[in-house]
Amino acid sequence: MWGSRKLISSGSRFLGVRRSGCRVAQADCPRSTASAVYSENQLSWTLPIKPWIFSEYRIMWFKSCKMTFVCFNRMKSYRYPWTRLYSTSGTTVDSSEVKTFLALAHRWWDEQGVYAPLHSMNDLRVPFIRDNLLKTVANHQPGKPLSGMKILDVGCGGGLLTEPLGRLGASVIGIDPVAENIETAQRHKSFDPVLDKRIEYRACALEEIVEETAETFDAVIASEVVEHVTDLETFIQCCWQVLKPGASLFITTINKTQLSYALGIVFAEQIAGIVPKGTHTWEKFVSPEMLESILESNGLSVQTVAGMFYNPFSRYWHWSENTSLNYAAHAVKSGAQEHQVPAESVLKEETEELQATASTIAGVREEVKK
Amino acid sequence: MYDSPPFMQPPILPAQGGKNRFLIGLFSSHVLVPVLRWRLKLQVIGGLCSGSASSGGPSGAPSAAQLGTMAARLAVSRWVAARAAARRGPLVSCWRWSSAVADTVYDVVVSGGGLVGAAMACALGYDVHFCDKKILLLEVGPKKVLEKLPETYSNRVSSISPGSATLLSSFGAWDHICNMRYRAFRRMQVWDACSEALIVFDKDNLDDMGYIVENDVIMHALTKQLEAVSDRVTVLYRSKAVGYTWPYSFPMADSSPWVQITLGDGSTLQTKLLIGADGHNSGVRQAAGIQNVSWNYDQSAVVATLHLSEATENNVAWQRFLPSGPIALLPLSDTLSSLVWSTSHEHAAELVSMDEEKFVDAINSAFWSDVNHTDFIDSAGTMLHYAIAFLKPTKVSARQLPPSVARVDAKSRALFPLGLGHAAEYVRPRLALIGDAAHRVHPLAGQGVNMGFGDISSLVHHLSTAAFNGKDLGTDYGLCKQMNAPLLEIMWMTKEHPFPRPSYILKI
């Protein structure tokens, strides 16, 4: 039983099975009961029947995804209360968040305006991304340190982080579910002929481009995004799928602590107006421990977690030891040999291990006999 | 002269037909623009203009109506510009982005190719993080080619501090200077004509305190280095910028965020950052409307190349403060020195026109004669000195006399007026001022060009970091925050290269 479960989970992890299917297979997850109850209705098309028939299963999975999208649009009215946190809808985009950002779509590039803290955050996150990516390269071109790299900026907004990365030589694709943000970003980069060629913007969600861009990116950046998505697990899985083996995932987000409620929501939004009201919901903040566990369980090994701190008076960000407010994380997708092993050879390895242990036990027994 | 160029002056245009636009344009140019000359109001008009103009058509291909409008605008504004030529002050005009204008967008344009401008272009061209960037240097004059170093020394020399020498060597210009000619000096004696007051500077190990280099030599070294990096730095000689158009401080939908520069031949350029290095009458500074505190000293400086009566080690710089102004003798070689004598306009004119023997006598007596000493001052000074020596004994420094001058190089006498200038802001969004455009000083301390090189050093440091962080070079965040603290920068510079300490207590 345990063996088959492991097969199912490893096979499903490789294929990126829907979270509900995966959860059913793993008994250690505490949330499985709630989602299992709900997902039983959908289980008919996410059952992992034969995990080693890959091509067939992949087609089934894609079809099931599309059907679930359609299905969930119809089933919005039947939402159960506990699914607010763990929505099993196929999209990671929250429509209420879309509305919040729509209102401010034209204010991205006003550097003294509402998005000033994000402009200032570039002082931290661009060197963070650049230095970690340069570690993976033997020698780089001076002046264009990131040239030759393909980067995906998820939730790029107005392109605040996309443009500096483009200037450093990378070819960047920026995606955002709010079409107006993409328009603003497009317009802003159109004035610079160099950036125009290096950056491409698309108004879509991450799940929509997973199929066509599987394993093509050297880095995926989700900066100030994971506290706005509906389904973090799916999001991370999609990120995993579009990364090349050995590639990096960069996340910056806000911790879920009392301090982040007091400073991040009460002070920043309501009192000082540093962040527009309603931008953040404390319930959706992600603690570094939870993020690490999700990353590790999805095949991304966490390299760095570093705290960041914003001084609203000097309007500068600083690195800090303390991750209780904002933090940045860098994870690397495990290399080629570990996860692309087909399930049958995993089975073979296990039987070989069993045989090996059996032989050693036999050998020990012989020695004991002697 | 530096108003916005003719075809950049927009009248207010509603989004109606062409004829209406022309008439309303005419009306606004003649009535509204003169009335509403203040910069704040013009910004509003510019905003309206771009808003209405953009609603008139797609920002992509220019239609016939738009071209007609532009022609009408051109005709009207050329007429207006002739009358507006005397008008000064900041004119913010809107520039509607048209993709038909295929300008290269330069990353940095340095306006002014003098010592400081050329050094700035060189420093950026050799900076490792600017490998990918396009830099342009605009120079009004022709290219100065120095095939062979002339036998006679030029009469314009600069005292280069060790910090400036480090900057010049960072992009390889100092090696060219060493191969040509320069003179290191090790001591500096500055004393008074009316009393025994004296101060002497030298470095601990009698290291070189500074270098006297001819301006032509520095310029030639910079030109050679610019040629070597011509793939990154383009130099346009005989190009004068006649107008500048600044982008809005807030991002407007259809307007270009870059600075537009119009050259004398009508061509336009765009740049992300404009650096004004065009001297104390800076056109860039005037076009930007940056306030400049300035006044003229009632003094002119007389320069000449002098032959000493006998060859000496000549590694001391001499300066004496006369009642009319300081006179300085700077070493050029074992037998030659350069004179810089700041005095009143009348006396300067007299000195330049008098015959050589009288001129040489005037110089010698200026340095040697004690005619301005009075008994009262002498005795007062001696008493004060005894009183201080009683409390704290001090080393007595003997006053040394500079070498005597035998003759002056023919045709090397020249004079130029002196003044002070200081810009209220060195840095604005998409603009930076360096060198004399930002600060003009009296030559008595020999620090003018050194401060300019100090500007280059700190500006290149900040731009390099910004480029490595992928920042937009001209934006507020990248530049202004760090650069509007010139005092801090000077402190940073002096930390690296401390000024020499006076080795003797000031003798009163």
Side-chain angles (χ1 to χ4, degrees):
Chain A
M1 183 56 188
W2 176 84
S4 66
R5 234 189 239 164
K6 189 168 186 243
L7 270 178
I8 289 165
S9 62
S10 63
S12 62
R13 195 185 304 156
F14 168 63
L15 293 172
V17 159
R18 305 263 296 99
R19 190 188 60 82
S20 50
C22 188
R23 283 283 174 263
V24 165
Q26 291 175 6
D28 51 344
C29 180
R31 300 193 295 272
S32 58
T33 44
S35 50
V37 167
Y38 183 63
S39 60
E40 255 166 20
N41 298 331
Q42 315 348 301
L43 209 50
S44 51
W45 42 63
T46 54
L47 258 176
I49 308 162
K50 287 175 191 171
W52 49 81
I53 302 177
F54 303 120
S55 52
E56 209 180 282
Y57 192 70
R58 212 182 176 102
I59 295 166
M60 272 182 62
W61 175 69
F62 289 144
K63 280 193 187 151
S64 73
C65 267
K66 285 185 191 148
M67 287 161 90
T68 46
F69 290 164
V70 167
C71 170
F72 276 94
N73 281 333
R74 273 186 246 140
M75 290 182 73
K76 255 185 217 168
S77 49
Y78 300 107
R79 207 172 278 210
Y80 288 88
W82 56 79
T83 59
R84 194 171 67 80
L85 287 176
Y86 305 106
S87 161
T88 51
S89 85
T91 174
T92 54
V93 175
D94 187 350
S95 52
S96 56
E97 302 271 7
V98 169
K99 279 201 206 97
T100 318
F101 282 103
L102 200 59
L104 299 164
H106 55 286
R107 308 261 286 271
W108 283 100
W109 287 99
D110 183 5
E111 285 170 30
Q112 312 303 325
V114 290
Y115 289 117
L118 282 181
H119 279 275
S120 178
M121 205 199 276
N122 276 347
D123 287 342
L124 286 193
R125 42 186 188 174
V126 174
F128 181 64
I129 296 167
R130 176 199 73 211
D131 294 339
N132 281 310
L133 287 178
L134 285 179
K135 276 186 216 164
T136 62
V137 182
N139 43 3
H140 63 94
Q141 278 187 35
K144 282 192 286 190
L146 298 182
S147 73
M149 297 212 179
K150 286 198 70 179
I151 300 184
L152 174 69
D153 186 5
V154 184
C156 63
L160 263 55
L161 181 53
T162 327
E163 289 203 4
L165 293 173
R167 273 188 212 108
L168 289 176
S171 58
V172 196
I173 297 181
I175 64 173
D176 199 274
V178 181
E180 280 72 13
N181 286 350
I182 295 292
E183 260 179 53
T184 310
Q186 195 86 36
R187 206 181 308 128
H188 194 265
K189 72 145 186 170
S190 67
F191 293 115
D192 187 341
V194 169
L195 284 184
D196 218 359
K197 281 184 238 137
R198 287 194 193 146
I199 301 178
E200 192 196 320
Y201 287 114
R202 288 193 217 174
C204 61
L206 179 59
E207 308 82 57
E208 292 163 36
I209 60 161
V210 160
E211 308 160 16
E212 51 179 288
T213 55
E215 292 203 4
T216 49
F217 292 109
D218 294 290
V220 169
I221 299 159
S223 179
E224 307 300 305
V225 166
V226 298
E227 70 266 22
H228 298 285
V229 297
T230 52
D231 185 358
L232 184 57
E233 185 80 33
T234 316
F235 182 81
I236 300 292
Q237 281 169 7
C238 293
C239 290
W240 186 89
Q241 282 169 63
V242 300
L243 281 171
K244 284 185 193 161
S248 300
L249 172 65
F250 296 95
I251 293 178
T252 76
T253 185
I254 310 180
N255 198 346
K256 190 175 180 180
T257 59
Q258 290 182 342
L259 189 63
S260 73
Y261 183 73
L263 289 183
I265 306 235
V266 175
F267 181 73
E269 286 187 19
Q270 286 152 16
I271 298 176
I274 298 167
V275 176
K277 278 209 183 105
T279 310
H280 292 131
T281 327
W282 187 78
E283 289 76 14
K284 287 170 104 177
F285 285 173
V286 181
S287 72
E289 295 77 28
M290 178 154 102
L291 185 67
E292 272 192 64
S293 73
I294 298 180
L295 289 171
E296 295 282 350
S297 68
N298 281 298
L300 293 153
S301 78
V302 177
Q303 307 286 310
T304 321
V305 174
M308 307 194 297
F309 168 72
Y310 181 62
N311 182 342
F313 306 108
S314 71
R315 291 185 285 155
Y316 274 121
W317 285 86
H318 304 276
W319 290 114
S320 102
E321 295 292 322
N322 190 355
T323 58
S324 55
L325 278 173
N326 295 71
Y327 64 95
H330 170 220
V332 172
K333 175 168 169 172
S334 325
Q337 50 274 26
E338 280 180 52
H339 279 270
Q340 283 180 2
V341 173
E344 48 198 359
S345 56
V346 168
L347 185 58
K348 263 195 212 156
E349 274 176 23
E350 285 181 16
T351 48
E352 277 171 14
E353 264 181 46
L354 287 167
Q355 283 170 6
T357 46
S359 59
T360 47
I361 291 166
V364 164
R365 267 198 213 140
E366 279 176 26
E367 284 188 22
V368 165
K369 271 186 198 167
K370 283 178 192 166
Chain B
M1 173 170 37
Y2 291 100
D3 288 341
S4 75
F7 56 85
M8 283 190 190
Q9 260 189 4
I12 305 172
L13 302 171
Q16 257 81 33
K19 186 174 155 197
N20 285 345
R21 288 190 195 191
F22 182 88
L23 289 172
I24 290 167
L26 199 65
F27 165 75
S28 62
S29 318
H30 283 268
V31 179
L32 283 178
V33 172
V35 166
L36 302 173
R37 216 197 319 174
W38 303 105
R39 180 168 53 168
L40 202 61
K41 302 241 175 112
L42 272 176
Q43 272 186 346
V44 171
I45 291 168
L48 284 171
C49 170
S50 80
S52 60
S54 62
S55 64
S59 59
S63 67
Q66 289 169 11
L67 284 173
T69 317
M70 278 167 77
R73 237 188 259 170
L74 197 77
V76 166
S77 43
R78 272 196 201 282
W79 189 16
V80 172
R83 303 169 73 183
R87 223 183 287 156
R88 289 184 155 256
L91 288 172
V92 176
S93 28
C94 76
W95 177 248
R96 189 167 163 275
W97 174 252
S98 166
S99 58
V101 180
D103 293 338
T104 345
V105 179
Y106 286 96
D107 290 283
V108 181
V109 165
V110 183
S111 180
L115 289 180
V116 175
M120 182 80 211
C122 245
L124 288 176
Y126 281 86
D127 187 83
V128 66
H129 297 130
F130 272 75
C131 285
D132 197 26
K133 313 260 185 232
K134 292 200 263 298
I135 303 157
L136 177 71
L137 176 64
L138 292 173
E139 165 57 24
V140 169
K143 182 169 180 178
K144 288 179 197 152
V145 182
L146 202 72
E147 272 108 24
K148 205 174 75 79
L149 207 56
E151 289 288 330
T152 52
Y153 280 70
S154 154
N155 57 4
R156 297 301 304 270
V157 301
S158 300
S159 155
I160 301 292
S161 67
S164 305
T166 311
L167 172 75
L168 290 171
S169 60
S170 74
F171 47 81
W174 189 247
D175 296 326
H176 293 304
I177 294 174
C178 293
N179 292 336
M180 285 188 271
R181 58 186 177 214
Y182 74 99
R183 186 70 171 190
F185 63 92
R186 299 211 172 119
R187 279 173 82 240
M188 197 153 67
Q189 177 177 297
V190 182
W191 75 110
D192 191 26
C194 302
S195 72
E196 295 291 328
L198 172 88
I199 185 167
V200 177
F201 293 93
D202 58 28
K203 276 187 135 173
D204 284 337
N205 308 330
L206 281 188
D207 275 340
D208 296 339
M209 261 175 62
Y211 310 93
I212 307 292
V213 191
E214 293 154 86
N215 290 355
D216 288 340
V217 167
I218 305 177
M219 207 54 236
H220 180 62
L222 292 172
T223 314
K224 266 176 98 166
Q225 285 305 96
L226 279 175
E227 278 167 15
V229 77
S230 55
D231 52 334
R232 270 182 247 160
V233 182
T234 321
V235 187
L236 289 182
Y237 290 100
R238 298 182 193 276
S239 335
K240 187 180 165 95
V242 297
Y244 303 93
T245 309
W246 312 103
Y248 290 106
S249 50
F250 45 89
M252 291 281 291
D254 271 334
S255 66
S256 167
W258 315 132
V259 180
Q260 317 270 350
I261 304 168
T262 316
L263 299 179
D265 59 1
S267 56
T268 56
L269 316 160
Q270 293 187 66
T271 176
K272 299 180 190 171
L273 174 65
L274 174 65
I275 298 182
D278 40 355
H280 63 262
N281 278 330
S282 169
V284 174
R285 187 187 65 220
Q286 285 163 9
I290 293 178
Q291 294 250 357
N292 188 41
V293 175
S294 68
W295 57 77
N296 288 320
Y297 292 126
D298 273 331
Q299 287 189 341
S300 293
V302 175
V303 290
T305 314
L306 307 171
H307 291 254
L308 306 175
S309 12
E310 54 190 28
T312 73
E313 218 185 322
N314 209 10
N315 54 9
V316 183
W318 309 95
Q319 185 168 41
R320 193 180 198 193
F321 279 82
L322 306 171
S324 55
I327 178 170
L329 201 66
L330 305 169
L332 288 176
S333 73
D334 284 343
T335 54
L336 290 170
S337 284
S338 179
L339 172 81
V340 183
W341 191 346
S342 318
T343 179
S344 64
H345 296 304
E346 302 80 26
H347 189 212
E350 212 186 298
L351 284 170
V352 168
S353 52
M354 61 170 67
D355 52 327
E356 284 190 20
E357 276 186 35
K358 281 179 75 176
F359 182 65
V360 166
D361 288 338
I363 295 171
N364 282 325
S365 72
F367 276 117
W368 289 34
S369 138
D370 281 343
V371 71
N372 288 310
H373 281 213
T374 59
D375 287 337
F376 172 67
I377 303 256
D378 278 346
S379 46
T382 322
M383 275 173 53
L384 189 56
H385 179 72
Y386 280 145
I388 293 175
F390 181 69
L391 296 165
K392 183 182 175 203
T394 58
K395 241 196 291 190
V396 173
S397 61
R399 173 155 62 107
Q400 296 189 346
L401 286 171
S404 71
V405 177
R407 58 189 178 84
V408 60
D409 254 355
K411 293 191 212 158
S412 72
R413 279 186 274 171
L415 68 84
F416 53 91
L418 302 175
L420 172 94
H422 193 251
E425 301 165 69
Y426 290 0
V427 169
R428 270 208 183 158
R430 305 217 180 271
L431 170 68
L433 296 175
I434 58 174
D436 276 4
H439 37 71
R440 177 194 184 196
V441 292
H442 196 285
L444 70 87
Q447 294 302 314
V449 80
N450 291 310
M451 292 206 292
F453 288 142
D455 291 344
I456 295 174
S457 186
S458 56
L459 184 57
V460 166
H461 171 75
H462 287 297
L463 288 179
S464 187
T465 320
F468 193 45
N469 286 346
K471 284 195 190 158
D472 183 0
L473 291 177
T475 51
D476 208 32
Y477 231 83
L479 196 60
C480 284
K481 271 203 159 192
Q482 289 143 1
M483 279 303 294
N484 256 328
L487 184 62
L488 286 174
E489 299 307 325
I490 293 170
M491 283 163 63
W492 180 78
M493 279 298 295
T494 50
K495 195 163 62 88
E496 306 276 312
H497 300 282
F499 291 130
R501 297 186 306 277
S503 61
Y504 298 104
I505 306 297
L506 182 70
K507 182 178 166 197
I508 302 159

